[in-house]
Amino acid sequence: MNPTTSLLQPEVRELIEARRFRELRESMSSVPPADIADLIMELPLDEAAVCFRLLPRDQAGDVFADLDSDRQEELIDQLGDVRSIHAIEALDPDDRARVIDELPTDVAKRLISSLSPASRRETQAILGYEPETVGRLMTPDYVRVRPEWTVKRSLEHIRRYGRDAETVHWVYVVDARYVLIDDLHIRALLLAEPDERISDLMDHSFQALQATDDREVAVRAMNRYDRSALPVMDSRGVLLGIVTHDDAADVAEEETTEDIQKQAGMEALDAPYMQVGVKEMLKKRGGWLCGLLVLQVLTIGVLDSFEEKLQQAAVLVAFIPLIISSGGNTGTQAASLLIRAISLGEITPGDWWRILTKELATGIALGIALGAIAFGVVMGLNALGVAETDLSPMSIALTVSIAIVGIVVWGVSIGSMFPLILEKLKLDPASISSPLVATLMDVSGLVIYLGVAVILVL
């Protein structure tokens, strides 16, 4: 619970109990919608419904959009369809589509059928696109002008229709068929002469999104061009809507959270952490852990196949943790760097040779550095009487250091190429989790280490 909610909750509950609803409405009028949403999430359902009923329609729409889907469904049942429809009608079209998409099918159908014809058309148009596309993010509330209009007429048009627009910072120029011709920042209109035509202000240079683009494309485009809004077109160039920076920010946060969770060796959570039950948590985390446990059986197999030789130089076993950590850490580093670079659009699978060359050079340098440190560690431990052996300390130290060089080079190769291969196969690179890379390096690292030991010591 945030500090604002902590302060509001006792006051709100006291006012509800005393039935001082006018004071309650006034006290919530200056509170940001996000904080009211947090409050409604914390209150018992009956008290939450009372608070929600007292909100003005526009404020209620903003608050409803910030609630999680479970509480939205509960409020719909508690308030009845009429009040629920008013709250959903007050949402921006993109938020309305998101809310309806997250509700159970029967509830969603009931609400869509109850919307006004205009709202229903907007919502169904957005819901017609795949869930992860720009079409689901866009809103049809924007300001458009014609190239033959004067600046004066355009500003009058903005004053008349701008209140319903998601933003008036950008104005979109379309032809008679609503094909996008250009976009203009509102500053250009405010500083132009009233009699100038829109066509005189145009440079025919604009950035736009396709409705079928992945929503991550919108995030990257917003960052790349430093825009607060971008137009969305269909395949014919017809302007369908716009995506604004707040929608892109929500997507960026969601995608980053999902990638972090996947890289941690689990399925992405479908709700905030505190709202996920133990059963769902076990389902999301258990599968990966079971799979990784089975993969670790390969490590047992490797050790078992070298058991007889290891008995001749048991001291080698003492350095296995050093070997395993070196491979796992370098592989995980490389995978994390590449997954993030792919996510940001900095690289593509076509860059594989340049990436491999760079990672190999880095791996060799890192391997030599770590191998030198490992050599010193082994010699130092032997001098202190730790991990003593009848074999030559120099040969043991060389075995460990050479193995580390090979393991580090192999680790950066695996870590860097796996994400590119998955991206090429149209799979999510984030599904290569850090634990998976570490497990693969445990197995392959042992093979490399014991192979070097057989050549130099055994």
Side-chain angles (χ1 to χ4, degrees):
M1 186 185 300
N2 66 46
T4 302
T5 305
S6 300
L7 293 172
L8 273 176
Q9 190 176 32
E11 177 188 350
V12 167
R13 302 195 71 171
E14 181 181 335
L15 291 174
I16 291 175
E17 187 175 346
R19 303 186 66 81
R20 291 151 58 185
F21 299 131
R22 183 186 298 274
E23 292 179 45
L24 178 58
R25 183 185 180 97
E26 291 174 355
S27 67
M28 291 192 297
S29 62
S30 59
V31 180
D35 290 335
I36 296 179
D38 287 344
L39 175 66
I40 289 177
M41 288 293 301
E42 297 295 333
L43 288 172
L45 181 57
D46 57 341
E47 295 181 359
V50 170
C51 285
F52 193 80
R53 283 192 183 98
L54 295 173
L55 296 172
R57 179 171 176 172
D58 290 343
Q59 190 179 17
D62 293 335
V63 170
F64 195 83
D66 285 330
L67 299 174
D68 68 49
S69 57
D70 289 339
R71 181 45 60 111
Q72 287 172 347
E73 186 180 350
E74 290 171 350
L75 280 177
I76 288 171
D77 290 337
Q78 186 78 5
L79 297 171
D81 281 352
V82 174
R83 180 64 178 174
S84 303
I85 288 299
H86 288 166
I88 292 175
E89 288 270 13
L91 295 172
D92 292 328
D94 53 335
D95 290 331
R96 188 189 309 134
R98 177 182 59 79
V99 166
I100 290 176
D101 191 40
E102 292 174 352
L103 292 173
T105 304
D106 56 337
V107 177
K109 287 181 177 178
R110 190 174 74 239
L111 290 177
I112 289 177
S113 64
S114 302
L115 293 172
S116 67
S119 295
R120 190 184 309 126
R121 284 194 298 272
E122 291 174 340
T123 305
Q124 290 176 328
I126 293 174
L127 289 172
Y129 293 98
E130 293 296 322
E132 301 294 316
T133 60
V134 169
R136 284 294 186 99
L137 290 180
M138 70 180 182
T139 173
D141 295 334
Y142 57 89
V143 178
R144 57 177 178 257
V145 296
R146 299 286 293 277
E148 65 272 15
W149 289 3
T150 63
V151 169
K152 180 180 178 181
R153 180 181 175 182
S154 298
L155 290 175
E156 289 174 351
H157 179 80
I158 294 170
R159 290 190 193 98
R160 183 175 181 181
Y161 296 103
R163 287 188 180 86
D164 297 327
E166 185 87 1
T167 178
V168 294
H169 290 166
W170 291 92
V171 178
Y172 302 94
V173 187
V174 298
D175 64 15
R177 296 174 299 168
Y178 294 100
V179 172
L180 181 64
I181 302 174
D182 206 352
D183 57 2
L184 300 173
H185 195 279
I186 190 65
R187 182 188 297 111
L189 276 71
L190 294 175
L191 298 179
E193 294 297 327
D195 294 333
E196 277 191 88
R197 295 191 178 277
I198 293 297
S199 57
D200 297 331
L201 306 179
M202 292 164 44
D203 60 7
H204 297 279
S205 175
F206 61 90
Q207 303 298 328
L209 302 166
Q210 293 290 319
T212 53
D213 286 342
D214 188 279
R215 60 184 190 170
E216 290 190 49
V217 173
V219 176
R220 290 197 290 266
M222 289 279 188
N223 291 332
R224 180 179 179 85
Y225 301 110
D226 193 24
R227 292 286 298 266
S228 60
L230 281 173
V232 181
M233 307 184 306
D234 66 10
S235 58
R236 300 167 298 166
V238 173
L239 181 60
L240 301 175
I242 63 172
V243 172
T244 54
H245 64 91
D246 56 332
D247 297 318
D250 290 342
V251 170
E253 180 180 359
E254 184 179 333
E255 293 292 338
T256 301
T257 300
E258 183 178 308
D259 287 349
I260 290 172
Q261 290 171 348
K262 285 182 177 180
Q263 289 183 57
M266 58 179 289
E267 295 180 39
L269 299 180
D270 300 322
Y273 175 83
M274 294 303 293
Q275 297 169 21
V276 178
V278 174
K279 182 179 179 180
E280 185 69 12
M281 194 68 78
L282 289 174
K283 180 181 176 182
K284 295 292 186 181
R285 296 164 67 171
W288 266 105
L289 292 176
C290 293
L292 293 172
L293 179 64
V294 172
L295 278 177
Q296 285 289 3
V297 173
L298 296 176
T299 304
I300 299 173
V302 172
L303 288 173
D304 183 66
S305 64
F306 283 90
E307 181 180 6
E308 184 177 341
K309 293 186 177 296
L310 284 173
Q311 289 176 355
Q312 302 171 27
V315 69
L316 291 173
V317 177
F319 298 106
I320 286 178
L322 190 69
I323 296 295
I324 286 177
S325 64
S326 298
N329 291 340
T330 51
T332 297
Q333 276 188 348
S336 299
L337 288 172
L338 268 293
I339 289 170
R340 188 59 181 158
I342 291 171
S343 176
L344 295 175
E346 297 173 351
I347 58 173
T348 66
D351 300 319
W352 73 271
W353 178 247
R354 291 170 54 204
I355 294 167
L356 181 59
T357 303
K358 182 176 183 176
E359 286 298 320
L360 285 175
T362 303
I364 291 171
L366 287 173
I368 291 173
L370 293 175
I373 294 173
F375 184 90
V377 168
V378 175
M379 296 299 292
L381 290 175
N382 184 264
L384 294 172
V386 180
E388 290 183 319
T389 177
D390 295 335
L391 299 173
S392 166
M394 180 70 71
S395 63
I396 298 296
L398 279 174
T399 297
V400 173
S401 59
I402 291 173
I404 284 180
V405 173
I407 288 167
V408 169
V409 173
W410 176 240
V412 297
S413 301
I414 288 181
S416 60
M417 291 297 103
F418 267 20
L420 294 176
I421 292 171
L422 280 190
E423 178 71 8
K424 183 68 175 178
L425 296 175
K426 306 298 183 184
L427 300 174
D428 186 0
S431 61
I432 299 182
S433 65
S434 298
L436 176 59
V437 173
T439 300
L440 292 175
M441 286 308 304
D442 289 350
V443 178
S444 56
L446 277 176
V447 173
I448 293 172
Y449 174 46
L450 298 176
V452 172
V454 167
I455 295 173
L456 297 182
V457 177
L458 303 177

